Amino acid sequence: MAMTGDPCDCDVLVVGGGNAALCAAIAARRAGAAVLLLEAAPKALRGGNARHSRNMRVMHDAPTPWVRGRYPADDYLADLRRVAGDTDHAVARLFVDASADIVDWLAGNGVRFQSCADEVLPYSRKTAFFLGGGKALVNALYATAERLGVAIRYDSDVRALHLRDGPPAVTVGEPGVTVRARALVVASGGFQADAGWLRREWGEAADRFSIRGTPHATGVPLKALLAEGAEPVGAADRCHMVAVDGRAPRVDGGIVTRLDGIAHGIVVDRDGRRFADEGAVVGPSRYTAWGEMVARCPGAVAFSVFDAAIKTRFRPSIFPAIRADGIGELAAALGISPPALEATVAGFNAAITGGGGTAGGDPPKTRLAEPILVPPFGAYPVRAGVTSTCLGVRVDGRARVLRRDGTALDGVHAAGVVMAPNILGCGYLAGSAMTVGAVFGRIAGREAAAYALR
């Protein structure tokens, strides 16, 4: 399918190359539309953040081959309300109900899931795991899209959207080629890879953030939709972020850069002071809780400190710990004033009680408090690792992009992170972003095809 600039180059144009975009392209193609997918990344890096994923959260009323137990809709919705705050309740309900068969739909399109009976992965009644991880999911969906006849163009970064005076169109690349379609699906993620935009929202701290996923999530299509009058949802100054090793790559580090042991030792800022209760959150949400706290630290950097006994109680970082035989020497290696860190560790040790917490310390540690006494002492530098930003556009249950007055932009649909705040607000619910992408990708593709072929 050539990008000719003719009245319409395709029926449905999909902007993006990750999970949501692929589900949209496949759904539109299965509905009979001629589909063109534009992926900004080169083929070797295709797939967006989905390459780094591993599971998806799905509703089910009975055990399945991939998920144990039951996770009814009311439980899913309660979890969403707990983390998401102000969301579109109708869209959230539709999403939860539609998640019930999304695993079967993906399996029918080539994606393989880990059996819940082999006990290779931790028990979960809420999430199904991809066999081979996110890269295997991405490769399977691309193979299906190609087999169905979806035209795919790599290295095709969208520079502008044109949504007035005729069918939707986009400008691709530099100096720019115009691609026209009868309907458009925007599934290009957030703007976390736009350093300038991130800095405007977070200040100089943004320069120290690690972008965990694709460097191609620059937010150009999102900005264009907002400029065309789409109603914003979520917040530009919030991100989904986790605590990662401070030596992680600037971009594309993925899930393996997360730090697991923060709750077990102590965490100090660049001045050697503790600033939060390390034992307050010990479940899966511990990663996200510490991501934002570190992002708001002086210099957006912190240090996880432990001793030889504590380090045996958690999974190590993929980078070696910084070690020293004394606390003062460790502080010097970290660039912290040795007397400051020595005073912090001594005060923490003195405040530990017999109940696993501390008394008299500020802040207290409520759980997992153990003295830091056994050399060699170790530390990991900690930074905020951004998964995605939390600004999106309003959609309805048909994935149509809505203006502030509630009317739809003609022929324009959205899926994935670019509309996820309708459901997740600025909160994080493990495995749900991949489900949002698949569920609304399928809806957006189907509805865009119906619009194009009507």
Side-chain angles (χ1 to χ4, degrees):
M1 184 183 300
M3 293 189 288
T4 62
D6 292 338
C8 278
D9 297 280
C10 58
D11 296 323
V12 175
L13 177 63
V14 179
V15 175
N19 169 53
L22 288 162
C23 290
I26 289 169
R29 184 70 187 122
R30 288 195 179 280
V35 182
L36 172 61
L37 181 144
L38 301 178
E39 163 63 293
K43 186 175 182 179
L45 295 176
R46 67 186 183 181
N49 284 6
R51 290 179 296 122
H52 299 296
S53 65
R54 62 175 186 164
N55 61 354
M56 64 194 318
R57 183 178 293 243
V58 292
M59 185 271 281
H60 56 107
D61 286 321
T64 77
W66 304 287
V67 194
R68 302 180 183 185
R70 298 176 63 247
Y71 187 44
D74 287 346
D75 287 4
Y76 203 149
L77 288 165
D79 286 343
L80 280 175
R81 285 192 294 271
R82 175 174 51 82
V83 303
D86 185 23
T87 59
D88 187 317
H89 298 298
V91 171
R93 181 76 207 205
L94 181 152
F95 158 71
V96 168
D97 290 344
S99 75
D101 70 341
I102 198 64
V103 168
D104 289 340
W105 187 84
L106 287 167
N109 284 294
V111 179
R112 299 177 65 192
F113 288 83
Q114 185 86 38
S115 168
C116 67
D118 59 17
E119 298 184 354
V120 171
L121 295 167
Y123 170 83
S124 175
R125 73 179 182 97
K126 300 180 180 181
T127 60
F129 287 82
F130 313 127
L131 184 63
K135 191 167 288 188
L137 170 136
V138 165
N139 288 341
L141 292 177
Y142 269 105
T144 297
E146 290 168 352
R147 176 174 55 81
L148 293 174
V150 173
I152 298 168
R153 298 289 180 266
Y154 298 107
D155 298 297
S156 297
D157 57 318
V158 169
R159 302 297 182 91
L161 303 185
H162 312 285
L163 306 180
R164 302 176 187 177
D165 303 322
V170 305
T171 298
V172 182
E174 184 67 40
V177 175
T178 300
V179 184
R180 296 176 175 84
R182 294 182 174 85
L184 173 68
V185 177
V186 176
S188 51
F191 65 83
Q192 64 272 13
D194 183 334
W197 193 349
L198 210 59
R199 194 179 300 113
R200 286 193 295 275
E201 302 297 338
W202 285 85
E204 292 183 1
D207 295 336
R208 297 174 179 86
F209 293 172
S210 173
I211 309 306
R212 301 175 69 212
T214 175
H216 298 282
T218 59
V220 170
L222 168 61
K223 186 182 292 186
L225 287 175
L226 295 172
E228 290 288 344
E231 181 181 356
V233 293
D237 62 351
R238 294 290 304 279
C239 298
H240 297 303
M241 52 177 58
V242 304
V244 301
D245 193 297
R247 297 159 293 181
R250 168 64 181 166
V251 297
D252 248 345
I255 193 171
V256 298
T257 60
R258 292 191 312 190
L259 284 179
D260 182 61
I262 283 178
H264 293 272
I266 62 171
V267 178
V268 299
D269 63 18
R270 67 184 182 186
D271 297 318
R273 294 188 294 253
R274 292 178 60 240
F275 55 91
D277 176 3
E278 297 90 348
V281 184
V282 296
S285 59
R286 66 190 183 278
Y287 300 110
T288 55
W290 281 96
E292 183 154 346
M293 282 193 285
V294 171
R296 300 190 185 281
C297 269
V301 65
F303 301 91
S304 173
V305 178
F306 46 89
D307 71 0
I310 293 170
K311 80 177 181 65
T312 65
R313 296 179 170 86
F314 60 84
R315 290 191 300 273
S317 171
I318 60 170
F319 300 96
I322 299 167
R323 291 190 171 91
D325 290 329
I327 294 296
E329 296 143 279
L330 180 66
L334 300 176
I336 296 173
S337 164
L341 186 59
E342 289 171 337
T344 294
V345 171
F348 173 77
N349 290 344
I352 294 174
T353 67
T358 63
D362 184 22
K365 184 172 182 180
T366 52
R367 280 178 287 191
L368 302 177
E370 298 184 39
I372 299 173
L373 294 171
V374 183
F377 303 98
Y380 295 125
V382 189
R383 280 195 290 165
V386 179
T387 306
S388 63
T389 44
C390 294
L391 176 67
V393 295
R394 180 79 63 191
V395 298
D396 62 12
R398 294 163 59 188
R400 299 182 303 173
V401 177
L402 303 180
R403 301 182 181 90
R404 292 179 183 272
D405 63 4
T407 60
L409 292 171
D410 289 341
V412 182
H413 302 76
V417 167
V418 76
M419 49 68 58
N422 289 268
I423 298 164
L424 296 173
C426 294
Y428 173 80
L429 192 61
S432 55
M434 287 295 291
T435 316
V436 170
V439 165
F440 270 86
R442 178 172 61 170
I443 293 171
R446 182 179 64 222
E447 293 292 334
Y451 182 91
L453 301 176
R454 65 183 179 180

